[in-house]
Amino acid sequence: MSDKNTTDAYSRGARKYEIKWKKYLDHTHSKLLAEFECTPEDKILDVSAGTGLFAEHLKEAGFGFRSMTLNDVSAGMLKLARDRFSGIESINFHCDYAEELSFEPNSFDVVVSMNAFHNYAGQERALEQVQRVLKPGGQFYLLDWNRSGLFRVVNRLIKLSVPEIINTRSASEAKKMVERVGLKVESEQEWSYSYWKFFLIRASNK
């Protein structure tokens, strides 16, 4: 599971997170929104929802859903999400490690993990949890850093300079992990933005 250094770092930086990383967040959220699909009857889980920014973008873009669960192990980040959606009944909050989700099997139609997979210590265990809570035929979106090409150097520098777990995978490594837990990869993308490199995998539960 993610360690205390990682959760504490995100809680300390929660209030400045969206300002500090605005361009990065705008870019990654727009990339996922361009591929994202859901119906008004869907139950959605954002595994590492942070401040709830993706849920806000979904609502602004006109996406409908029955409910959306914002989960994050950082209490500081989740507090901002709670403040953002105070009084909105269709959005609820949870504070589980990605590797230890407490939801019942087959609970969600759509699961999202964005900009967080590299912070998971037990990545395959987290994917097993995604597969468990995702309904048959449900969709999983995984967007994260792509440890390939020159970004491997950038990733190494980041890893040396921050207290958080940095456990970045290449797109091919992530795809193999997704498939090993029983999810079927439907599409995949790789691209660069500034000094970052990303992947987006869309998978379905068999």
Side-chain angles (χ1 to χ4, degrees):
M1 66 180 66
S2 301
D3 69 351
K4 190 173 186 299
N5 287 338
T6 301
T7 57
D8 286 352
Y10 277 100
S11 288
R12 286 194 304 271
R15 293 201 173 277
K16 296 181 179 179
Y17 178 74
E18 290 182 25
I19 297 171
K20 181 178 180 180
W21 298 108
K22 185 179 187 308
K23 290 183 179 179
Y24 169 97
L25 293 169
D26 286 347
H27 174 76
T28 53
H29 283 68
S30 65
K31 290 290 288 190
L32 183 51
L33 281 170
E35 300 297 322
F36 191 82
E37 295 180 4
C38 69
T39 76
E41 297 303 312
D42 283 346
K43 295 181 177 180
I44 303 172
L45 169 65
D46 190 338
V47 178
S48 301
T51 60
L53 187 60
F54 183 63
E56 182 170 86
H57 286 162
L58 283 182
K59 293 181 74 66
E60 289 175 347
F63 284 87
F65 46 81
R66 180 184 296 184
S67 66
M68 187 164 184
T69 298
L70 306 184
N71 179 78
D72 203 280
V73 74
S74 165
M77 298 286 271
L78 197 60
K79 182 184 184 304
L80 295 181
R82 290 179 187 274
D83 292 344
R84 172 173 259 143
F85 295 109
S86 176
I88 299 180
E89 293 184 0
S90 61
I91 296 181
N92 50 80
F93 309 92
H94 222 73
C95 191
D96 285 344
Y97 286 103
E99 300 91 335
E100 297 181 356
L101 298 177
S102 58
F103 308 105
E104 293 296 317
N106 307 324
S107 293
F108 298 99
D109 302 282
V110 183
V111 177
V112 173
S113 174
M114 178 169 55
N115 295 330
F117 194 64
H118 60 275
N119 291 138
Y120 299 165
Q123 291 171 327
E124 194 150 336
R125 174 61 179 163
L127 292 174
E128 289 172 351
Q129 290 294 295
V130 168
Q131 192 277 332
R132 184 183 66 81
V133 304
L134 192 60
K135 294 179 181 179
Q139 299 294 302
F140 174 48
Y141 296 87
L142 176 61
L143 189 157
D144 200 46
W145 302 356
N146 183 356
R147 188 174 57 83
S148 62
L150 292 177
F151 184 67
R152 285 181 293 186
V153 177
V154 176
N155 182 80
R156 177 65 175 166
L157 293 173
I158 294 171
K159 188 172 184 176
L160 291 172
S161 63
V162 300
E164 304 99 288
I165 287 176
I166 303 294
N167 191 19
T168 313
R169 301 292 181 171
S170 67
S172 61
E173 288 173 329
K175 179 182 178 182
K176 289 176 183 176
M177 294 174 73
V178 167
E179 292 174 332
R180 276 201 300 270
V181 303
L183 297 169
K184 180 183 178 183
V185 173
E186 303 286 356
S187 64
E188 52 188 304
Q189 299 179 36
E190 298 181 54
W191 72 95
S192 296
Y193 171 73
S194 184
Y195 53 82
W196 305 93
K197 192 166 184 180
F198 297 98
F199 65 76
L200 171 57
I201 293 172
R202 177 176 179 169
S204 61
N205 200 9
K206 298 178 182 178

